[in-house]
Every structure is written in C-alpha cells, then in structure tokens.
Amino acid sequence: MGKRIDDAVMDNVELLAKLSLGSEEREKVRGEMEQILDYVEKLNELDTDGVDPLVHILDEVNVFREDVETNGDGREDALANAPKSKDGQYMVPKTF
Amino acid sequence: MAKQYETVIGLEVHVELSTKTKIFCGCSTKFGGRPNTHTCPVCTGMPGALPVLNRKVAEYALKLGIALNCEINQYCRFDRKNYFYPDNPQNYQISQLYLPVCHDGFLEFFVSGEKKRVRIHEMHMEEDAGKLIHDEWEDSSLVDYNRSGVPLLEIVSEPDMRTAEEVIAYLEKLRMICRYLGVSDCRLQEGSMRADVNLSVREAGSKKLGIRTEMKNLNSFKAVTHAIEGERERQIELLNEHREVVQETRRWDDNKEASYGMRSKEDAKDYRYFPDPDLQPVVISDEWLEALRREQPEFQEERKQRFRDTYGLSEYDAGILTQSRHLADLFETVADLSGFPKKTANWLMVEGLRILKEMGMEPEELSFTPEHLAVLIQAVERGEIHHANARLVFEQILEADVEPLGFMEEHGMRIVMDDGALTAAVEEVLKENPKAVEEYRSGKEKVFGFLVGQVMKKMKGKADPGKVNEALKKAEDSLLLIRQR
Amino acid sequence: MKKLYQMSAVELGRQIRTGELIVKEAVDSCLERINEAEPHLHAFLARNEKGLEERICEVEEGIRKGRYHGPLAGVPAAVKDNICTRGIPTTCASKMLEHFVPSFDAEAVRRMEDAGMILLGKTNMDEFAMGSTTETSYFQTTVNPWNREHVPGGSSGGSCAAVAAGEVPAALGSDTGGSIRQPASYCGVCGLKPTYGRVSRYGLIAYASSLDQIGPVGKTAADCAALFEVIAGKDEKDSTSSGKPFEATQELISGGLQGMRIGVPEELLGEGTQEEVRNAVWKGAQMMKEGGARVEFFSLGLTDYLIPAYYIIACAEASSNLERFDGVKYGYRSPEASELHEMYRKSRQEGFGSEVKRRILLGSFVLSSGYYDAYYLKALKAKALIKKEFDRVFERYDCILAPAAPATAPKLGTSLSDPLKMYLSDIDTVAVNLCGLPAVSVPCGLDREGLPIGMQVIGNCFREKEILRTAAAYEALRGEFPMAQLQ
Ligand SMILES: [Mg+2]
Ligand SMILES: [Zn+2]
C-alpha cells in the first residue's frame, strides 16, 4: 500500500485529536499507523453487502430515567480536581 | 440595470425543553443558579460517569414532532459530535445525526394573510453546552456547567423562506406550538429559543442555490430581522462586485448590528459523528405514538374557531385569547363557570392584559383560581358591585388570588341585594316626595334622576344604580296603574 | 497447613464467616505479603491506608451482626486503577490523571463495599488500559510473579500479579480486548470477563465503551464466581447494564461436565500458537472429555477479521472517550500554554503516553470525514458477521475452549517496539469483546520456562453459569494449580 497518511492527513488527525507530535515522534507514529491501516484493510476482503452495521450488542432498548431531580449542589466535587478555577468556575485561556 | 436577487433562508432552531432535570442526569435545569451548583459527574464530564436518558425528553420530542407533521424514526439513536471547546465538558456533544427522532415534516402559518408552508428537514434531541464568561481581570474565560446537559430539540427547516417577515412568522408559530404543547417556554432573551439563520441569495428566477452563510447568536426577533437584512445586503454587494460569498459561520453582534466571521484554523469542521455506545436505542412503538397523538392539545387555529362557534366571540377576540394556551384555558374555564363568555373575554382582554403589561408578565404567568374570576363576573352581572370596584377586586385576584366575595364584604364593596330593603326605600322615597312624583308623571323626566339619588342616599350607596332604576320604574308603573284604576 | 496468603478468596471468606479467622488477621496477612512482595513486584499504584482500621472494625461488627449476605465479607481485595474510588487517586496509570481523586465510587466498588469486602489499594495497568504488558504505565513496571524478567500481561497486569503473588485473594480488572483473561493466564490465576452489560460500567474510566467490562480476578473459578456475584446486576446509572437475572453461582462447582457440549476452534490452535500452549489446551480438552463432556474440534470462521474489526472500533471509541482529558476540569494541564487550543494540544501531548496517542490518532483517522465508511462502518459490519458466526457456533456448543493468549508471558521490554505484532497477539481474546460474550481464563499448565499457560472457556451471552461450572469442573480434574514462587 502506498502512503495513505501524507502530511495533510497527519496534520488533520493531529488537529482533530488535539495533539502536537514532535517531528521524530510524528514520523514514527505515521509509519506505525500506515502499517496498522494496511493490515486492517483485510476487512475489504469481506463481503458486507446488505449487512447492517452492528452497534449495540445488548438488545435492551428504551433505557430511561424519570424526570426527577436527584442531584443537589455538586459544585465542590466538580471543582475539586480543577487545574485552575475562580469564583466557583473553571478557568481557561480566553475564548473570545 | 441592477440585478434582482432572491433571498433563500433556512433555519436551525434550538429549543430548550422545560423538563425539571437535564437530559442525561438528575441535575436541575433551573435558570440562574450560582455557577456550577447544578452539576454532577455526568454533566461535568467526569471520567467514569455515564448518561441515562430522561424519558420526558423523548416524549417532548415526539409531541413536537407530531405537531410538526413529521415522520418518526421509530428506531432512533444518539450519536456523538466531537469537537473541543471548554463549554462542552466531554468535548463531544451527545446529539443525533444518523437516526434523528423526527424527519420530513412541515409547519404552516400565515404571512400577510397568505398561507405559507415551510418543510421541516429533521428534528433531533441533544444536550446544551455550558456557559463561558470573560474574566477581564485575569484575561481568561470562566466556565459554568449549570446549562451543560439541559435538553434541547434542534429543528432544522428546509431553505423554504424568502423574507425576514416569513422567518419571524415561522418562529412565532413554532413558539406558539411549543408553548401549547408545554415542551418549552421559548424565550429568546433567556436563550431557551435560539435561531441560527442559513442564508444565501440568488438571481431572481434561478433554481440553483447560492453559497450560504450561517448566522448565530440571534437572541431577539429584532436581531433576526436585522441580521437577515444585513446579510442579504452584504452578499448582494459581494456578488455585484463579482466577489465570492464564503461558506462560513458568522456571529451576529447585536450592539454593532453587524455580523463577522468566526473562522479559526483550530476549529475543526469534521465532527466525526458516530453512534454513542453509552446509550441504548430508543424504540418508539405504535402504541406509544398513538397515546401521544391522543394527548395532543387543540392548537390555536381549531381553538379559535371553536371559541367563535361556541362562545360567539369575534375573530379578533378569539385570536387574542388563543395566543397563549394558558390564557385560552383560563378563558374557557371561567366562561363555563360564570356563564358569561363575552364578559369573561372582556375582563381577560381589557383588564387582564392591561394588568399583565403593567406588571411585565406573560399570560403563562397567570396563576389565579378560575373560580374567583367567575364569581366576580357573576357578582358584577348581578349588580352586587360597582364596575370601578370590580376592577380593583380583579387586580387583587390577579396579584394575590383573593376570594372576591369575602374581599368585597371586607372592604364594604358589596352592594346590598336585599330586595325588601330596596323596595322599602323606594316606597319611602315616593311617599316622602309627592311633589317630585307628580312632576315626573306630568312628563318631567329629569326628576327621575333626583328620585334615584334619594333612593341611593337611603341605601347609603350600597345599591346598584341599575337596580334602583329598575325598582323605581316598577314602583312608578304600579302607582300609576293604581291611580288610574 | 496453608498460609493465609495462599488461601482462595472463597476459603478466606468461609473462615471469616465461621469465626475461625477475624477480618484483621486476613487483612494483616495481606498487608504483610504486600510489604514483602511490592519492592519487586510493583503491582500497586496506591495503598488504601486511610480509615482502614475503622473499616476493618465496621466489617467485623457487620459480620457478627449478620449484615452481609455474600461469601466474601471481610475478604481483602484490590481494584484496577481505571475504576473510580472515592477519595483515593484513580490514575489510569497516566500522567494525565496523576493527581485525580474521584468524588464517587464506581458501582462495582460500591457493591464490594456493601458486601463487606475490604479495599487495600489500586493496581497498576497499561495506561488507560491500552496495552497487553502493563509496560505502558506512566508510573512503574509490574513484573510477572513467576519470573521477574517477564511481563505480567495487561492491561490488568497489576490486579493479576497481585492475586498471583498472594498480595490479595481477589481483585477487579477490566477487559476490553482480553485485558483480564490474558494477564490472568500469564500470571497463573483465574479471570472472568462477564457478558457485556452484566457489571455496571459506572465509574470505569472508559477506553472503548462498547467493549469494556469490569470483571473479577481470583485464584479459582469459585473465587471469580463469588466476586462476580457481588458486582453483577442492573445499575440505573449505566444505560448499558442489563436487568437479566443470574443464578446464584456458588452451587456451580458441583455441576460437573456431564452433558456439556464443548467446541474447540481449530483456527485458534494453529501455527501462530506456541506449541506448549497448544498442547496444554489440547490436554485440557482431553481431560474434560474424560470428565464427561462432549468435546469436538470445529472450524471458526472470520478469524482473520477479528483484529482489524476490534482495533478500528476500539480506537474510534477511545479517540472520543479520551477527548475529555483536556486540562480544563481535572488532570494534567501544561503550564506553558496561554492560548486555548495550544493548551489542549500541549496538555494532551505531554499528558498521554505514546501508545495512547497512537490509538487516539488511529481512532480520529478512522472516524474522519472520507474514511468513516471505509473503516469504521466496515468494522461494524464485520462485527455483525462475527456475531452471527458465534450465534451459529453456540447453537452447537455450550462452551468454546481456546487459549487465552497464543504464547506465554514475553520478556520485559520486548513487546512495545512493534505495535502491530503486539495487536496481533490479541487474536484469542478480542472476539469475546466484539460479541459481548462472557469468558473465563483458567491456568492449564506451565511452559518449559515455568511460565503459566491459560485456557479460556467462552460462553454465550449471559451464560456465566455454564462457563464457570465448566472451569470449576476442569479445575477439579486438573488439581490445585501451584502458586507463583516469588523470586
Ligand atoms: Mg445542534
Ligand atoms: Zn448533572
């Protein structure tokens, strides 16, 4: 198989995954990904015409909860692990 | 010669559902709590937390879907929409793409007297995001997840609208339906109804769609109108200058009355939707649908007609009273209880809406006991209270739900309706004023008013002038007859 | 006489129940063993010391008052570090969650507490359960108690090594593609991957949600059955947990093999399988036949497609599940970033190890626009066909017998350099996860280096009873399996 993961594809998956690989790591991972993708291409041998994709193994459906308030104030627990917070809110680099 | 352009508009409307709890956890959906106080591991995206669907959300989705004449995906599923943003704690939004709950419906409404039909492409359930505010002091953003996980329905129309007027009419009709169903209060200012406008222009007569932009952050009908007009002009100008419209998302700035592009190279447009493995499918049985169909309320059009037919209301009155399902319900209950439908309509429309306006409230917020208004109207009709006083009592009913008869008694507003007392007073007055009686009989109509005044005086004002008139006339007539005999 | 640490969980529970033993003695013997073994083994990431004395008293009192019903009251246990424990760090063996302390217990942990079990600590694992050697842990490398130069397997390597070394009589692991069964086989202990939906995933930090299951590790099938009973059952907090009832499983031990129909798939005993493993499984099958089961070889279709379908689905789900680790709400945030997306990228780049990043990237790729149909959707269709194939097999057999891994534990440091080769070694275990099946791994021999070999008994969905009964009957025929001699 040829190079399916060119620079543009690699840039895109890094963007989607929110990762910034170093150049050495990037080349290594690119090679490994191509090797793995080549291998999984095996699936193309399989005739799946007319086969419905199987998402849920369990056959249970309509798993609901009732519209009843069960939770109180979760603020302290929510923020207990926050790397940075202020006034009961998570603080992040500005988004505006 | 300037080219003629046609505007083509489609809407994506997000409606926040008025459930008590969030879509996937038991946290409150109440508006305005202190930041992050309505949160739990699920709606803050804690590792290990899992979503469980609120039954009410599916039910509301189906109710609205039925009202919008949609086809229902009786096997529907949730998908994950993946994108990084701090208001989205899991960095994926649980939504529906592949098998949304409803599709292919339509909404009909009137614009300038003409019936308009807009097709609904699809409608799906999803979760709302948290709130970001800017912290000037730290030059950072602060995140509050109280809104995170509040249930939304997203209603996607086909590009069937051509003018801002049509868009507003569509939104108003949609809002009315949601409110009639009780699925959402649809307040644009509070964000419980949000419209994203997809707009393109094309040369008049052309069948091909132009390149569209999507405008977000429109939180009033005024903003929607201005944004549509502004964007139409912007695109036409570009085309006239032979420049291209760029397909993009634009944010409307209400203060500047202008929109600007929201592009960022880090904004991946590839959401990698895939079925959410944490949620089992929702299967909607025929029985479930049928039960919901039976529960559907009578919507405005039918109700308006019925009010005209049953209660003899005018087109105008019926229209106003049915603008809110709650108001219409109130009217109907009070009209039936009191037996005076037209009077009921008058009280609600003239006094009721005036008081609401003064208090800055919506008809939905009326919460008094219908019996109280019915009793008041009957008291007025029986002449037990002066109209001016009745208005005061009505205000008290609206504000404090007072019981009218007790209140009238307490404040000395109740007109004594003891017929014996009135008859006695009339007889006394006639006896005491033989001269005036003589004058009236000889044709001096004016004297009658004097006699009425005398009776009122005797009754210490606690008599209905109409009744006094009536009693006097009756007495006169009988006196006359006796004399003539 | 057996030392306490050599006892099975069920035996320990019995002695505590009858009063032959008090809870404190059981706990102290484990702590002593932990102190002895940990300097070499490195199976634990955190010890649960705070409040332990009080907990022991509470349970002791509860036992005397008859508060607990199950067979494991007073029995110490360990929990894999991707399962949330309130107030105790839960790291997934990742720098990303080095300082993360959950505010709630996983449902499985809550049920263990309710059953009177005593949590002694959190065990090492491959980072975010991605790996099959426990070497991708950010913190430490756990070694195989049978031979320190070898890996314990993974990703539940810490839990399996801890049980094998007698540090705890039982532990929880999690299994997404073999992560309980394979390390159990490498470590010579018994591990059960329950049917998908049997054990609540609430509080299990997700790797691949449609494949993940929490399961027990113990010395024997009876241990696994007992702990399974404690943790299994419907949980309202997990939409994918099943309400299907399950029978009390302790009586299964006496069930025997009579009438049991067992199939052995030829494809999983082929060339790729180490000869000693093949022989040990074959011998196991022979024994079962002599024990009254009807055993036959059969041909299992689609085995070439198991690994491709599994890795596409697992990586796709992982890429989404791990998006929440972004430095905003918890976990590692890079100190250097000042811009939002830079913060995301740096935090994730620095917080995740390379195996995790590779799977996230692969998953992002197979879900990305233009590739979704060719990879992800195709894998879901393959999964449908594989499920059908197993449905067909279970029409003929009650259980399937297979190796738990094609080979015994490799040497430390030899696996990570070739990821594809590492992925291929999951061939014996992934089908079970793709199809949601239950499977138990029991020790069935030693190779010439003295490393344990494991055999899987796989059943149809919700048939834990059958596979545990088969495994227990096999154990009885096999005789007691030796314990690892820590050296
Ligand atoms: Mg949406
Ligand atoms: Zn919540």
Side-chain angles (χ1 to χ4, degrees):
Chain A
M1 287 281 160
K3 275 226 179 290
R4 93 192 60 229
I5 304 190
D6 58 20
D7 275 332
V9 172
M10 203 61 201
D11 284 347
N12 187 46
V13 286
E14 277 185 69
L15 169 80
L16 295 174
K18 292 291 172 213
L19 291 167
S20 306
L21 305 180
S23 55
E24 203 179 310
E25 186 181 10
R26 181 171 150 123
E27 284 323 301
K28 186 168 167 282
V29 171
R30 187 212 298 259
E32 291 164 347
M33 284 173 70
E34 285 194 330
Q35 196 192 1
I36 293 162
L37 290 172
D38 279 349
Y39 179 74
V40 302
E41 296 263 296
K42 241 184 194 317
L43 282 183
N44 290 337
E45 301 166 2
L46 207 54
D47 180 9
T48 53
D49 279 358
V51 176
D52 279 335
L54 179 59
V55 175
H56 301 279
I57 276 291
L58 273 181
D59 47 20
E60 265 154 74
V61 298
N62 295 359
V63 183
F64 296 124
R65 40 171 283 275
E66 299 308 320
D67 187 24
V68 176
E69 201 177 319
T70 52
N71 300 337
D73 179 353
R75 168 143 133 176
E76 219 171 287
D77 283 345
L79 290 160
N81 285 291
K84 230 175 165 188
S85 67
K86 184 186 171 185
D87 302 336
Q89 292 159 91
Y90 301 91
M91 195 192 281
V92 296
K94 68 166 184 251
T95 55
F96 297 91
Chain B
M1 202 184 82
K3 281 179 185 158
Q4 292 294 306
Y5 287 98
E6 180 183 46
T7 320
V8 177
I9 307 166
L11 291 183
E12 284 165 34
V13 180
H14 287 87
V15 162
E16 252 184 23
L17 297 182
S18 44
T19 51
K20 289 190 193 71
T21 61
K22 295 184 177 181
I23 181 168
F24 297 123
C25 64
C27 289
S28 168
T29 54
K30 274 203 195 75
F31 201 79
R34 283 162 59 236
N36 290 308
T37 53
H38 300 167
T39 60
C40 73
V42 176
C43 57
T44 53
M46 284 288 166
L50 292 171
V52 185
L53 179 61
N54 184 340
R55 182 195 302 273
K56 263 261 145 64
V57 174
E59 201 178 296
Y60 281 4
L62 292 170
K63 282 186 170 183
L64 185 56
I66 293 168
L68 297 182
N69 313 292
C70 287
E71 293 188 26
I72 310 290
N73 268 325
Q74 289 185 265
Y75 183 95
C76 87
R77 233 176 16 208
F78 286 92
D79 302 298
R80 292 186 185 176
K81 178 181 182 180
N82 299 283
Y83 65 96
F84 281 78
Y85 209 62
D87 62 5
N88 175 8
Q90 305 159 117
N91 288 318
Y92 58 82
Q93 180 196 33
I94 304 178
S95 181
Q96 299 190 287
L97 177 77
Y98 297 110
L99 294 168
V101 61
C102 302
H103 61 98
D104 292 301
F106 62 88
L107 180 58
E108 282 180 338
F109 50 89
F110 285 89
V111 190
S112 323
E114 298 238 342
K115 195 178 225 178
K116 170 88 189 170
R117 175 184 284 208
V118 170
R119 292 167 301 153
I120 306 291
H121 178 68
E122 60 107 345
M123 179 176 90
H124 62 261
M125 304 176 262
E126 61 183 26
E127 54 180 345
D128 207 348
K131 200 173 91 186
L132 285 166
I133 60 163
H134 188 229
D135 182 18
E136 303 280 351
W137 190 257
E138 305 268 359
D139 198 23
S140 296
S141 291
L142 300 175
V143 197
D144 169 11
Y145 289 129
N146 280 352
R147 304 314 292 160
S148 160
V150 169
L152 297 177
L153 290 180
E154 180 172 341
I155 304 119
V156 183
S157 84
E158 297 289 353
D160 286 352
M161 286 161 276
R162 298 290 174 268
T163 63
E165 199 191 355
E166 285 178 4
V167 169
I168 301 299
Y170 171 90
L171 289 172
E172 278 178 338
K173 184 69 191 269
L174 185 59
R175 179 168 69 177
M176 170 114 56
I177 288 176
C178 286
R179 287 180 172 182
Y180 257 81
L181 289 166
V183 303
S184 171
D185 55 20
C186 293
R187 291 180 215 278
L188 270 82
Q189 274 77 4
E190 281 177 22
S192 62
M193 184 184 210
R194 306 192 285 263
D196 300 341
V197 172
N198 290 313
L199 186 149
S200 63
V201 297
R202 64 181 172 198
E203 267 185 61
S206 163
K207 286 275 163 247
K208 217 177 115 225
L209 287 172
I211 293 164
R212 70 190 162 94
T213 59
E214 182 183 0
M215 261 175 311
K216 288 187 181 294
N217 197 39
L218 308 168
N219 44 29
S220 68
F221 285 158
K222 201 184 95 207
V224 170
T225 307
H226 289 186
I228 287 173
E229 281 156 7
E231 182 61 13
R232 172 186 152 85
E233 275 164 35
R234 193 186 69 88
Q235 289 191 15
I236 290 175
E237 212 172 289
L238 286 173
L239 295 181
N240 281 339
E241 290 167 14
H242 302 288
R243 287 158 65 198
E244 276 197 1
V245 175
V246 182
Q247 180 161 0
E248 62 178 351
T249 302
R250 300 178 67 82
R251 191 182 163 86
W252 175 254
D253 187 328
D254 225 4
N255 298 320
K256 293 185 185 133
E257 296 228 325
S259 67
Y260 53 91
M262 289 170 64
R263 261 173 308 160
S264 145
K265 67 175 170 41
E266 282 287 347
D267 275 332
K269 274 284 159 252
D270 185 351
Y271 294 124
R272 289 156 291 141
Y273 279 99
F274 74 104
D276 191 334
D278 286 333
L279 289 157
Q280 293 296 113
V282 179
V283 172
I284 300 137
S285 65
D286 293 340
E287 293 73 35
W288 189 7
L289 271 181
E290 201 36 57
L292 289 172
R293 279 209 173 91
R294 276 197 303 273
E295 277 173 32
Q296 287 295 91
E298 184 186 27
F299 286 102
Q300 197 202 9
E301 294 302 322
E302 310 147 51
R303 201 160 200 192
K304 206 165 119 184
Q305 192 55 50
R306 193 164 59 78
F307 280 8
R308 295 177 65 187
D309 297 345
T310 318
Y311 299 112
L313 299 187
S314 68
E315 157 97 31
Y316 177 79
D317 288 3
I320 288 189
L321 287 170
T322 52
Q323 240 157 45
S324 137
R325 178 184 176 185
H326 184 61
L327 188 63
D329 285 347
L330 258 181
F331 161 75
E332 202 164 356
T333 313
V334 176
D336 291 346
L337 282 171
S338 69
F340 296 102
K342 283 191 182 167
K343 301 284 179 191
T344 305
N346 276 334
W347 276 101
L348 283 173
M349 284 165 54
V350 180
E351 294 302 319
L353 296 181
R354 173 185 64 83
I355 295 168
L356 280 179
K357 205 169 173 191
E358 279 168 18
M359 299 197 294
M361 280 164 53
E362 302 220 30
E364 274 69 25
E365 293 171 78
L366 286 173
S367 62
F368 61 85
T369 313
E371 280 83 357
H372 290 171
L373 179 55
V375 166
L376 177 65
I377 291 171
Q378 284 173 338
V380 172
E381 295 310 309
R382 281 200 309 265
E384 287 178 18
I385 183 169
H386 292 314
H387 197 83
N389 280 340
R391 286 172 60 180
L392 291 175
V393 178
F394 186 54
E395 268 183 41
Q396 287 304 306
I397 292 176
L398 255 60
E399 281 169 35
D401 199 19
V402 298
E403 194 287 307
L405 294 182
F407 186 87
M408 283 154 59
E409 206 69 66
E410 208 177 300
H411 292 80
M413 291 173 171
R414 181 147 189 207
I415 295 167
V416 177
M417 281 315 300
D418 178 350
D419 281 349
L422 183 59
T423 316
V426 167
E427 272 170 22
E428 271 175 51
V429 166
L430 292 179
K431 242 181 241 155
E432 284 164 16
N433 299 284
K435 213 176 129 212
V437 173
E438 211 53 50
E439 279 177 16
Y440 175 62
R441 250 177 232 156
S442 62
K444 276 199 170 173
E445 298 271 324
K446 260 200 248 162
V447 185
F448 190 77
F450 165 76
L451 290 172
V452 171
Q454 290 303 304
V455 176
M456 290 298 280
K457 209 162 147 194
K458 270 218 163 14
M459 297 294 293
K460 298 193 172 70
K462 291 184 179 183
D464 178 39
K467 288 259 166 169
V468 174
N469 269 337
E470 222 172 277
L472 257 177
K473 276 228 174 76
K474 236 195 223 161
E476 285 286 331
D477 293 347
S478 47
L479 278 175
L480 205 60
L481 284 172
I482 292 161
R483 292 271 162 95
Q484 284 172 346
R485 225 179 255 173
Chain C
M1 208 188 86
K2 259 189 190 174
K3 296 214 174 90
L4 286 186
Y5 77 81
Q6 293 170 316
M7 273 185 206
S8 76
V10 168
E11 175 60 11
L12 209 55
R14 194 189 60 76
Q15 292 204 5
I16 292 169
R17 207 164 47 247
T18 56
E20 285 165 74
L21 204 62
I22 59 167
V23 178
K24 189 162 167 45
E25 285 174 289
V27 173
D28 283 347
S29 80
C30 285
L31 293 180
E32 199 181 300
R33 187 70 181 160
I34 289 172
N35 288 334
E36 214 172 277
E38 272 308 281
H40 321 291
L41 199 61
H42 310 296
F44 280 83
L45 287 175
R47 303 263 292 269
N48 182 27
E49 280 150 346
K50 210 172 64 190
L52 187 58
E53 289 299 319
E54 289 87 334
R55 173 70 183 155
I56 291 168
C57 292
E58 180 192 80
V59 171
E60 187 69 60
E61 197 194 314
I63 291 169
R64 271 186 274 117
K65 288 186 173 161
R67 195 188 300 151
Y68 305 111
H69 303 295
L72 297 179
V75 174
V79 168
K80 187 177 179 180
D81 212 25
N82 59 348
I83 300 173
C84 286
T85 42
R86 185 194 183 100
I88 304 168
T90 300
T91 67
C92 284
S94 179
K95 179 182 179 181
M96 182 57 89
L97 288 179
E98 185 169 6
H99 304 293
F100 176 66
V101 183
S103 63
F104 60 96
D105 276 323
E107 178 64 13
V109 171
R110 200 190 63 74
R111 289 183 189 212
M112 282 169 77
E113 299 259 321
D114 277 359
M117 297 186 72
I118 297 186
L119 176 64
L120 293 189
K122 303 298 290 292
T123 54
N124 196 22
M125 54 186 281
D126 281 298
E127 186 182 5
F128 282 101
M130 297 176 187
S132 35
T133 62
T134 310
E135 291 171 297
T136 69
S137 167
Y138 170 70
F139 302 106
Q140 64 198 33
T141 303
T142 302
V143 301
N144 191 311
W146 293 77
N147 184 333
R148 267 189 239 173
E149 288 175 8
H150 289 254
V151 303
S155 64
S156 308
S159 286
C160 292
V163 171
E167 294 183 309
V168 280
L172 290 188
S174 72
D175 191 316
T176 306
S179 281
I180 289 175
R181 293 158 286 153
Q182 182 256 35
S185 84
Y186 284 6
C187 291
V189 293
C190 194
L192 169 70
K193 183 260 164 201
T195 307
Y196 185 79
R198 266 297 200 212
V199 179
S200 170
R201 292 186 295 114
Y202 194 84
L204 169 66
I205 300 179
Y207 157 20
S209 313
S210 75
L211 307 167
D212 294 341
Q213 261 300 277
I214 292 176
V217 179
K219 289 199 181 72
T220 62
D223 282 356
C224 286
L227 185 48
F228 171 66
E229 230 189 308
V230 167
I231 60 175
K234 171 93 183 155
D235 174 19
E236 305 289 343
K237 299 185 296 304
D238 175 1
S239 309
T240 63
S241 101
S242 166
K244 284 217 174 64
F246 56 95
E247 302 91 342
T249 43
Q250 280 306 295
E251 67 204 29
L252 66 93
I253 285 107
S254 55
L257 290 167
Q258 216 59 48
M260 194 71 80
R261 299 168 303 165
I262 295 173
V264 187
E266 285 151 3
E267 286 75 6
L268 299 182
L269 287 170
E271 263 171 56
T273 304
Q274 187 181 322
E275 202 184 332
E276 291 152 299
V277 171
R278 201 185 310 159
N279 291 340
V281 172
W282 194 83
K283 214 177 117 196
Q286 262 329 100
M287 247 181 224
M288 291 193 194
K289 198 170 186 174
E290 284 153 26
R294 211 184 75 205
V295 181
E296 61 187 45
F297 284 84
F298 74 97
S299 175
L300 178 68
L302 304 172
T303 47
D304 279 352
Y305 310 109
L306 298 176
I307 299 284
Y310 170 78
Y311 271 95
I312 289 172
I313 293 169
C315 291
E317 291 181 18
S319 73
S320 175
N321 281 330
L322 271 64
E323 281 165 350
R324 66 185 65 206
F325 304 103
D326 60 358
V328 172
K329 300 137 303 203
Y330 41 75
Y332 178 77
R333 179 189 289 197
S334 172
E336 284 162 57
S338 59
E339 190 272 330
L340 179 71
H341 291 277
E342 190 192 6
M343 180 201 78
Y344 286 149
R345 285 189 174 216
K346 284 207 161 134
S347 301
R348 290 165 63 79
Q349 176 63 28
E350 294 160 21
F352 289 137
S354 53
E355 181 62 40
V356 173
K357 282 187 269 191
R358 181 168 54 239
R359 294 195 197 193
I360 290 176
L361 289 163
L362 267 169
S364 302
F365 175 79
V366 298
L367 287 177
S368 67
S369 145
Y371 300 100
Y372 180 88
D373 287 3
Y375 291 94
Y376 183 71
L377 211 59
K378 185 81 181 176
L380 289 184
K381 289 178 180 175
K383 176 181 159 187
L385 293 174
I386 294 163
K387 174 75 178 165
K388 237 189 185 160
E389 172 69 2
F390 274 88
D391 286 346
R392 188 185 65 84
V393 170
F394 283 116
E395 280 170 16
R396 284 159 52 205
Y397 305 111
D398 301 307
C399 298
I400 299 171
L401 223 55
T408 52
K411 279 207 156 135
L412 289 164
T414 57
S415 304
L416 299 184
S417 58
D418 187 345
L420 179 59
K421 200 176 143 207
M422 188 168 77
Y423 295 175
L424 293 178
S425 72
D426 293 337
I427 179 68
D428 292 322
T429 45
V430 294
V432 160
N433 302 80
L434 282 171
C435 300
L437 309 171
V440 60
S441 166
V442 263
C444 68
L446 298 171
D447 72 0
R448 66 176 77 87
E449 287 183 79
L451 289 165
I453 299 165
M455 175 171 74
Q456 276 189 100
V457 185
I458 303 167
N460 206 350
C461 286
F462 301 103
R463 297 302 180 88
E464 282 87 356
K465 191 181 164 192
E466 273 81 353
I467 60 168
L468 287 166
R469 185 178 128 198
T470 305
Y474 166 72
E475 283 174 347
L477 296 167
R478 178 203 64 196
E480 189 157 349
F481 200 76
M483 259 188 91
Q485 300 298 306
L486 280 181
Q487 45 190 320

